[in-house]
Amino acid sequence: MHRQPENVDVVTFLLSEMGTSGSLDGQQHLVVKGRFASKYIEGILHKYVICGCCKSPDTILTNGNHLFFLICEQCGSGHFVVPIKAGFVASWTVFGVNGDWGFESTVEETENHLSHASTHHGIYDLQVREDDDWQMVQKQGNQFVVNDQPFYVNGFNTYWLMVFAADQSTRGKVSELFHQASSAGLTVCRTWAFNDGQWRALQTSPSVYDEEVFKALDFVISEAKKYKIRLILSLTNNWDAYGGKAQYVKWGKAAGLNLTSDDEFFSHTTLKSYYKAHVKTVLNRVNTFTNLTYKNDPTIFAWELMNEPRCTSDPSGDTLQEMAVYVKSIDAKHLVEIGLEGFYGPSAPDRAKFNPNSYATQVGTDFIRNHQTLGVDFASVHIYADSWISQTISDAHLQFTKSWMEAHIEDAEKYLRMPVLFTEFGVSAKDTGYNTSFRDTLISSVYKTLLNSTKKGGSGAGSLLWQLFPDGTDYMNDGYAIVLSKSPSTSNIISLHSTRIATFNSLCSTKCKWGCKKKNPLEEFLYHDDL
């Protein structure tokens, strides 16, 4: 096996994989209990010992921060293996020819013994993090960090989790979704912590709550923790869905206020007091499953003030300047973001050329000015070329996506000095000319742009797909839904990016110089330009 005797990781793994016991004898032969076909054992050795390129057994197993990398002494290639979670093992063969590096990816399901993840050491250790590592996500400069390690994000949106959890007949879909997302290595989910005055409302009227729906939100948070997924919780909506600012205005009118526009949500004292009361109630909520107050729970990545806020009555963008400080006054531990789509406003007229259309400058948001507001920790941007430019698929969508992302990453570095998270992106199956190949190309393009920022220590902190669905929820599909089990090519792209990000997060400390030159094969794998 070409392993040092003291390297028991391979032995431990083999015994776990084979479901038996055994030990090394005096000649360093592995003696196992039971009857096993040689082909079965060879299959295991091929995955974790044999070079994926030249098939030589002359490989060196390196183990750092629970990451396993096989380097071939014959051909110089590397074989990188990371079990993602809950039944999937993703492996990459990294090959080098005259200094040029590339990779091939496979995802295969392991049939058994994943239950040993918490008790056996070695290759499975990647799947389980100790609670000691489950700390608050923080910001250092233009990076997210956890325990002084970088935390680059590959995540997703599923907005309806609380409503599904409120019904016992659909609650299982929440667990199913987290299971699938975790299997693909996704680490952050964005979802709604509001439902104002609608069916299954959380807030039925100002400061009046349905306890059963609140318990459903408790469940979502506790279940996310089980799968090591952190949550960005949005606190209300710009749009009518799930109530949003229009519902606050309806409540105000019902209370006798003379209101003429939904935009008065941002300026009327009474409506602002309704919103503040909701913020205070949610942040101080004690989870009935975990007994943790929301504001003390590391499972919550960040608070989002509002989904896609717009105030067309004030094109300057100045209206959206107040609530971040209020959130921080209650919860100074968690990060706060606004929820903007990323449109440029009057504060940077030279950047308006990056907007998708002229109307974007008139919606009452200003990417730079708004994110310079006290209490805002990181910037948010959405990417919808098909909604903003044309509903007919074309290469112009890819060109816009790249320039849109690069402009915001540059501004986050130059002016804001904070991370930027692309909190929604996707393409609709309802678009003219849509096919899964284009979707895969778009997703790969987003990931590549982010990796180009990562390798330079830039502000591109991650992205969240819109949106991920489990099986059997097609009736909720707005056209953008991705069901991983039905989308193998897309799932492979997502899993690959997850693993590259997770590897970088594990290898690199924030104490090192960002953008330092990486030389070994594993680091070449991380930073190789091709996706």
Side-chain angles (χ1 to χ4, degrees):
M1 293 177 63
H2 196 57
R3 294 290 179 267
Q4 296 300 316
E6 62 270 17
N7 189 343
V8 298
D9 286 323
V10 174
V11 174
T12 302
F13 168 74
L14 280 169
L15 296 177
S16 296
E17 184 78 1
M18 296 166 67
T20 187
S21 59
S23 62
L24 294 174
D25 66 13
Q27 295 180 309
Q28 298 303 308
H29 295 155
L30 178 61
V31 180
V32 299
K33 181 179 180 179
R35 295 171 63 90
F36 298 92
S38 60
K39 291 292 185 182
Y40 173 69
I41 299 176
E42 287 175 10
I44 299 173
L45 294 179
H46 270 265
K47 284 193 291 184
Y48 296 99
V49 177
I50 305 301
C51 172
C53 288
C54 70
K55 308 305 180 185
S56 169
D58 296 327
T59 58
I60 297 172
L61 178 69
T62 63
N63 175 6
N65 290 326
H66 306 304
L67 294 169
F68 289 78
F69 191 65
L70 297 180
I71 300 176
C72 181
E73 294 184 307
Q74 292 294 323
C75 69
S77 67
H79 187 73
F80 176 50
V81 183
V82 176
I84 296 178
K85 193 163 182 173
F88 289 90
V89 172
S91 63
W92 282 266
T93 299
V94 186
F95 50 91
V97 180
N98 297 326
D100 295 327
W101 290 84
F103 54 86
E104 298 172 346
S105 66
T106 61
V107 176
E108 60 182 78
E109 187 172 358
T110 58
E111 294 180 352
N112 50 30
H113 303 303
L114 289 175
S115 60
H116 293 284
S118 62
T119 57
H120 285 275
H121 299 290
I123 200 78
Y124 287 135
D125 283 352
L126 259 178
Q127 299 184 51
V128 178
R129 289 175 176 266
E130 297 297 330
D131 281 349
D132 289 346
D133 293 334
W134 196 245
Q135 303 296 323
M136 295 281 186
V137 179
Q138 297 177 318
K139 183 193 74 167
Q140 288 184 10
N142 64 347
Q143 312 291 333
F144 295 128
V145 297
V146 178
N147 288 338
D148 202 39
Q149 290 289 116
F151 186 73
Y152 286 92
V153 171
N154 194 21
F156 64 101
N157 288 266
T158 310
Y159 65 88
W160 42 253
L161 295 177
M162 178 181 67
V163 170
F164 266 52
D167 190 326
Q168 290 297 330
S169 68
T170 54
R171 175 170 287 193
K173 291 297 180 184
V174 175
S175 304
E176 182 182 336
L177 177 74
F178 284 147
H179 174 97
Q180 293 175 357
S182 179
S183 297
L186 297 168
T187 57
V188 175
C189 171
R190 177 171 169 264
T191 192
W192 295 172
F194 66 87
N195 189 10
D196 307 312
Q198 310 294 300
W199 178 76
R200 291 283 187 193
L202 173 63
Q203 188 177 197
T204 56
S205 60
S207 296
V208 178
Y209 293 86
D210 185 323
E211 177 61 18
E212 292 306 309
V213 179
F214 234 142
K215 287 179 179 178
L217 184 57
D218 294 344
F219 174 80
V220 170
I221 296 171
S222 66
E223 201 71 359
K225 166 69 185 304
K226 290 180 184 178
Y227 289 93
K228 302 302 179 186
I229 292 174
R230 300 177 190 266
L231 300 175
I232 295 177
L233 296 180
S234 190
L235 294 166
T236 195
N237 204 354
N238 180 71
W239 312 108
D240 294 351
Y242 282 57
K245 68 180 184 183
Q247 181 61 58
Y248 280 84
V249 171
K250 289 178 183 176
W251 285 333
K253 290 180 177 178
L257 302 180
N258 182 23
L259 303 172
T260 59
S261 166
D262 286 350
D263 282 354
E264 291 189 72
F265 168 84
F266 299 106
S267 58
H268 196 284
T269 302
T270 300
L271 301 188
K272 290 195 293 183
S273 72
Y274 290 167
Y275 175 79
K276 288 181 176 180
H278 174 63
V279 168
K280 185 175 182 179
T281 299
V282 172
L283 272 57
N284 286 315
R285 168 75 176 182
V286 177
N287 192 308
T288 55
F289 288 84
T290 66
N291 291 321
L292 275 177
T293 306
Y294 284 13
K295 66 183 179 183
N296 294 326
D297 192 344
T299 306
I300 297 170
F301 178 100
W303 301 110
E304 179 176 276
L305 300 181
M306 187 180 213
N307 174 51
E308 299 185 337
R310 294 184 181 186
C311 185
T312 54
S313 61
D314 179 15
S316 72
D318 289 341
T319 302
L320 307 179
Q321 297 288 102
E322 178 182 348
M323 292 300 176
V325 171
Y326 180 74
V327 173
K328 287 289 189 180
S329 72
I330 300 172
D331 178 5
K333 297 178 182 179
H334 281 104
L335 302 176
V336 174
E337 53 107 349
I338 302 173
L340 293 179
E341 297 157 278
F343 301 132
Y344 289 101
S347 72
D350 60 319
R351 307 302 274 175
K353 63 185 178 183
F354 293 105
N355 281 340
N357 50 56
S358 58
Y359 177 67
T361 61
Q362 303 169 31
V363 299
T365 66
D366 187 316
F367 175 75
I368 293 177
R369 184 199 301 271
N370 294 150
H371 284 119
Q372 291 173 330
T373 301
L374 188 64
V376 175
D377 295 299
F378 65 94
S380 66
V381 179
H382 294 179
I383 314 171
Y384 287 115
D386 58 346
S387 293
W388 299 339
I389 297 177
S390 169
Q391 291 184 339
T392 300
I393 296 298
S394 72
D395 287 343
H397 290 192
L398 301 176
Q399 296 163 6
F400 166 78
T401 296
K402 185 174 185 292
S403 63
W404 180 249
M405 292 181 69
E406 289 176 345
H408 287 84
I409 291 172
E410 179 184 351
D411 291 333
E413 294 166 0
K414 186 182 295 185
Y415 301 111
L416 304 178
R417 296 179 177 84
M418 61 172 55
V420 58
L421 202 59
F422 295 88
T423 48
E424 289 187 25
F425 78 98
V427 60
S428 174
K430 299 176 182 179
D431 293 338
T432 303
Y434 169 87
N435 55 61
T436 56
S437 177
F438 181 83
R439 181 176 71 184
D440 290 349
T441 300
L442 176 69
I443 294 173
S444 295
S445 176
V446 170
Y447 288 164
K448 182 175 181 179
T449 302
L450 287 168
L451 285 171
N452 286 339
S453 176
T454 300
K455 68 183 181 183
K456 299 172 185 175
S459 285
S463 60
L464 287 79
L465 285 158
W466 184 275
Q467 53 184 326
L468 212 62
F469 276 27
D471 290 308
T473 54
D474 301 59
Y475 60 94
M476 297 284 290
N477 189 358
D478 59 355
Y480 291 84
I482 298 172
V483 179
L484 293 178
S485 61
K486 297 179 180 178
S487 311
S489 62
T490 306
S491 180
N492 283 346
I493 291 169
I494 295 169
S495 296
L496 171 58
H497 186 63
S498 294
T499 305
R500 299 179 89 177
I501 291 300
T503 305
F504 180 83
N505 289 347
S506 296
L507 287 178
C508 195
S509 167
T510 56
K511 294 178 181 177
C512 83
K513 295 180 180 179
W514 294 108
C516 57
K517 299 297 182 182
K518 307 294 186 179
K519 295 181 179 180
N520 70 46
L522 178 54
E523 288 153 345
E524 289 280 354
F525 160 76
L526 287 171
Y527 298 128
H528 190 69
D529 287 339
D530 297 335
L531 279 176

